[in-house]
Amino acid sequence: QVQLVESGGGLVETGGSLTLSCVVSSSGFSSPPMAWYRQAPGKQRELVATITSRGYPGYTDSAKGRFTISRDDAKNTMYLQMSDLRPEDTAVYYCNIGQFRSGRYIYSDSWGQGTQVTVSS
């Protein structure tokens, strides 16, 4: 059974930075593809960034140039470094383990509890 635990959220001012972490607890962890999603109040959960088993990152337009996804498989941990934060980045951020099919990230039912990021204007 896979357990994902996110941390690192908080309240920051516009232009500030945060680094989120996602620790994976799983027997036989095999460096799977992973992703960060976020969900703002009243909105659907949306993809933010992905990372392949080999560490190649992918970003949505909202994250490009401001967010950096990375992983440390020795620590079973994935990170999301966020800079130049904006009020529209306010959301609960979730990590996910999934897979890629035809270059597209497919999420699984393995979600963490999320970590709240709030950016004040």
Side-chain angles (χ1 to χ4, degrees), residues 4 6 20-22 35-40 45-49 78 80 91-96 110-116:
L4 308 174
E6 302 94 338
L20 308 183
S21 300
C22 171
W36 284 99
Y37 283 75
R38 67 186 182 187
Q39 187 167 19
R45 193 170 297 188
E46 64 175 0
L47 180 65
V48 176
M78 178 178 65
L80 185 69
V92 178
Y93 284 70
Y94 300 89
C95 60
N96 181 260
S110 297
W111 298 96
Q113 83 290 346
T115 186
Q116 176 71 48

Side-chain angles (χ1 to χ4, degrees), residues 40-99:
K43 295 188 177 181
Q44 290 190 332
R45 193 170 297 188
E46 64 175 0
L47 180 65
V48 176
T50 62
I51 190 163
T52 70
S53 298
R54 296 189 178 185
Y56 293 110
Y59 302 98
T60 58
D61 287 344
S62 63
K64 282 179 184 175
R66 300 188 300 126
F67 295 179
T68 301
I69 189 171
S70 62
R71 64 191 299 159
D72 184 345
D73 291 333
K75 297 181 179 179
N76 285 11
T77 302
M78 178 178 65
Y79 304 96
L80 185 69
Q81 295 175 276
M82 305 186 294
S83 62
D84 189 25
L85 285 163
R86 306 163 182 168
E88 54 263 39
D89 295 317
T90 295
V92 178
Y93 284 70
Y94 300 89
C95 60
N96 181 260
I97 288 179
Q99 58 182 299

